[in-house]
Amino acid sequence: MAAFALLLSDFLVSFMWVWSGVLIKIFVYNFLDLGHAPIGEVIKCSLSILNMFFFAFLAKLTKGGAYNPLTVLSSAISGDFGRFLFTVGARIPTQIVGSITGVRFIIATFPEIGLGPRLNVDIHRGALTEGLLTFAIVTISLGLARKIPGSFFMKTWISSVSKLALHILGSDLTGGCMNPASVLGWAYARGDHITKEHILVYWLAPVEATLLAVWTFKLVFPQKEEKAVSKTKSE
């Protein structure tokens, strides 16, 4: 029952996430009619940070509901094999279905909204960009979980500003997505979700970067338990 509740949370949160980004753009560009003016960009960035706080609160409320496969994958790598299988075989597919469903509803409601992020550089530069952005945000998230284990506001603030900054850095190249599920939702709507560019840039590169970030973090910052065991053996 707990597993089903978590999958349902993943679906709903993923559905809501793709909607939230579109609604922020509609509010700033259409409702406020600010276009790409500096004040419009400031408002959009502020709303994006508030939006990430909201979804961080939803994650606590749903006891782990997530919209990003990389988030659940990075934690599953450190867990047992059963948890890893549940994440790869159930949670990530559920997030993908939630994102695809959300995008389909968005296009049906706002057909003029466009079709999401696109690759604006060559495939190798795009893969490198998404990989570096993902490596950075996963490393930051792991560091926050280790150094600030109890402060919800501080962790969410640092994480949100970091995600926004990295998104802006990569927005003109790949969209700065760092979220394979939401990108797949838009790619599925365009019909290019099984192309080499999409798989390599938005799936393979971020997943490899996530694995590398987790393993690098473990190597540089071993857990205290592991340190204690190694110290005992040396004695």
Side-chain angles (χ1 to χ4, degrees):
M1 188 63 185
F4 176 78
L6 185 57
L7 292 178
L8 180 60
S9 299
D10 285 341
F11 176 85
L12 294 175
V13 171
S14 299
F15 181 95
M16 293 169 63
W17 175 255
V18 294
W19 265 92
S20 65
V22 170
L23 291 178
I24 288 173
K25 291 180 181 178
I26 291 175
F27 178 73
V28 174
Y29 297 148
N30 297 349
F31 183 76
L32 297 180
D33 196 22
L34 293 173
H36 291 281
I39 183 64
E41 294 300 319
V42 169
I43 293 175
K44 188 179 79 168
C45 290
S46 301
L47 291 175
S48 296
I49 290 176
L50 288 175
N51 186 51
M52 283 185 268
F53 265 91
F54 172 70
F55 277 92
F57 174 74
L58 278 183
K60 289 191 66 175
L61 189 65
T62 59
K63 297 180 181 179
Y67 55 83
N68 193 335
L70 303 178
T71 302
V72 295
L73 180 63
S74 62
S75 59
I77 295 170
S78 306
D80 55 61
F81 188 62
R83 180 183 177 186
F84 177 79
L85 286 180
F86 176 66
T87 298
V88 174
R91 294 197 68 184
I92 292 177
T94 301
Q95 292 170 336
I96 292 172
V97 173
S99 298
I100 291 175
T101 306
V103 170
R104 290 177 69 90
F105 272 87
I106 289 170
I107 294 174
T109 308
F110 305 106
E112 74 284 356
I113 200 62
L115 292 175
R118 292 177 181 270
L119 181 63
N120 297 317
V121 293
D122 63 86
I123 186 171
H124 302 292
R125 192 178 302 178
L128 180 62
T129 300
E130 281 294 314
L132 289 175
L133 294 176
T134 300
F135 182 87
I137 195 59
V138 171
T139 302
I140 291 170
S141 299
L142 292 171
L144 290 174
R146 181 184 177 88
K147 298 298 183 181
I148 319 176
S151 176
F152 171 79
F153 178 82
M154 186 58 65
K155 281 196 299 185
T156 307
W157 170 254
I158 296 174
S159 176
S160 300
V161 173
S162 300
K163 287 177 183 177
L164 181 60
L166 291 170
H167 167 72
I168 293 172
L169 284 174
S171 59
D172 290 336
L173 303 176
T174 62
C177 304
M178 300 170 286
N179 185 342
S182 64
V183 180
L184 180 57
W186 291 105
Y188 186 84
R190 295 192 303 265
D192 59 7
H193 56 291
I194 55 174
T195 60
K196 179 176 69 174
E197 289 80 3
H198 174 77
I199 294 172
L200 180 61
V201 174
Y202 296 108
W203 278 97
L204 188 59
V207 168
E208 288 182 348
T210 300
L211 296 174
L212 181 62
V214 172
W215 291 334
T216 302
F217 192 86
K218 283 185 174 182
L219 182 65
V220 177
F221 303 104
Q223 295 182 356
K224 294 179 180 179
E225 292 80 0
E226 295 176 355
K227 286 183 178 179
V229 170
S230 61
K231 184 177 180 181
T232 303
K233 288 182 178 179
S234 64
E235 291 175 353

